[in-house]
Amino acid sequence: MPYADLREFLHRLEKEGELGHVKRPVDLHYETGAVSRKALDLRGPALSFDNIRGHKIPLVVNLFATRRRYALGLDTTPEELHRLWIERTKEPIEPVIVKDGRCKENAFIGKDVDLTKFPIPIWNELDGGPYITLPCHITKHPVTGARNASMYRAQVHDRATIGILAAPYRHIVLHRNEALKRGEPLPVAIALGVDPAITIASVAAFPYGVDELAMAGALRGAPVEL
């Protein structure tokens, strides 16, 4: 099992010289996006913005922007990446349900919910507002219970509301359509900063009905804990 969580992956990137730290103060309004784009164009390292104006939480970007970092996310090499993918995805490993986790260390309920506590940038000139750009959306089919995990840019509208743009064929929309037929809401869990295997599985083009979290388990060689 390569990584327990994102923190371990960041430590690996540090060790491999694949993570740079931006110590100077930066602004969430365009500045982080501009620096991220410049680093991307130069094929530079992933970046950790450690000094964001108005926030104490750092922001990491460009984690999987090169084939080498993508391979490191699965604890392999670029040369072995394709072979490993083919072999491991043949045998999905089902997630396991656990009683507790780090995601429950800090809970904000009801009126205490405030998305502005997180450093969420306005990345580009024509963006309509701040966007969370790597959020893992997890849903279940209302009838079969089949899980889906997928990535959609999430626009923050206010302290307690976000929206996504998902085409009609996207699996989260197919789940929502089933919920609408039943007159029910569709619960969605959004996870940020997950184990890299989960991120990689969530953006892969697996067929409808395939559990990306089980595929993440296959890629990491151990079940994902939910």
Side-chain angles (χ1 to χ4, degrees):
M1 182 177 69
Y3 309 104
D5 52 31
L6 180 65
R7 291 179 180 90
E8 287 193 2
F9 181 50
L10 293 176
H11 291 322
R12 177 71 180 277
L13 293 181
E14 290 263 24
K15 182 179 178 181
E16 298 284 344
E18 288 282 355
L19 181 65
H21 290 269
V22 180
K23 301 291 187 181
R24 294 184 179 182
V26 292
D27 198 283
L28 289 174
H29 199 134
Y30 298 155
E31 192 170 11
T32 48
V35 175
S36 300
R37 180 67 200 207
K38 185 70 172 180
L40 191 66
D41 290 343
L42 294 173
R43 306 291 285 178
L47 296 177
S48 175
F49 292 99
D50 299 334
N51 189 3
I52 297 175
R53 291 188 180 93
H55 291 273
K56 295 181 179 179
I57 301 173
L59 174 72
V60 291
V61 302
N62 295 355
L63 295 180
F64 305 98
T66 66
R67 188 175 179 86
R68 182 168 189 257
R69 291 202 292 276
Y70 193 97
L72 284 172
L74 298 180
D75 197 29
T76 188
T77 64
E79 295 75 20
E80 287 293 304
L81 179 59
H82 185 257
R83 182 189 62 79
L84 177 142
W85 183 282
I86 295 299
E87 287 184 0
R88 291 190 178 177
T89 55
K90 290 178 182 177
E91 299 183 15
I93 299 177
E94 287 295 313
V96 295
I97 305 298
V98 296
K99 292 183 178 180
D100 206 353
R102 286 184 175 177
C103 61
K104 293 187 177 181
E105 288 179 0
N106 299 283
F108 301 93
I109 308 297
K111 62 181 178 58
D112 294 327
V113 171
D114 186 0
L115 292 167
T116 65
K117 291 180 179 179
F118 296 98
I120 304 173
I122 300 178
W123 297 93
N124 306 298
E125 181 182 3
L126 298 181
D127 279 345
Y131 274 88
I132 308 168
T133 55
L134 207 64
C136 182
H137 295 69
I138 303 169
T139 58
K140 282 186 177 182
H141 190 285
V143 179
T144 67
R147 245 186 323 262
N148 182 70
S150 52
M151 293 285 180
Y152 303 94
R153 293 183 78 210
Q155 183 179 354
V156 178
H157 294 292
D158 56 46
R159 56 185 288 154
T161 309
I162 66 171
I164 67 170
L165 176 62
Y169 56 86
R170 294 297 182 185
H171 299 174
I172 193 172
V173 176
L174 300 180
H175 283 189
R176 176 178 177 268
N177 290 343
E178 289 296 327
L180 288 174
K181 289 178 186 176
R182 299 164 64 87
E184 300 172 352
L186 178 68
V188 182
I190 299 178
L192 308 179
V194 294
D195 169 357
I198 298 175
T199 299
I200 290 169
S202 296
V203 299
F206 293 118
Y208 184 54
V210 171
D211 185 351
E212 285 83 2
L213 296 181
M215 286 301 189
L219 291 170
R220 70 199 297 270
V224 174
E225 293 185 349
L226 303 182

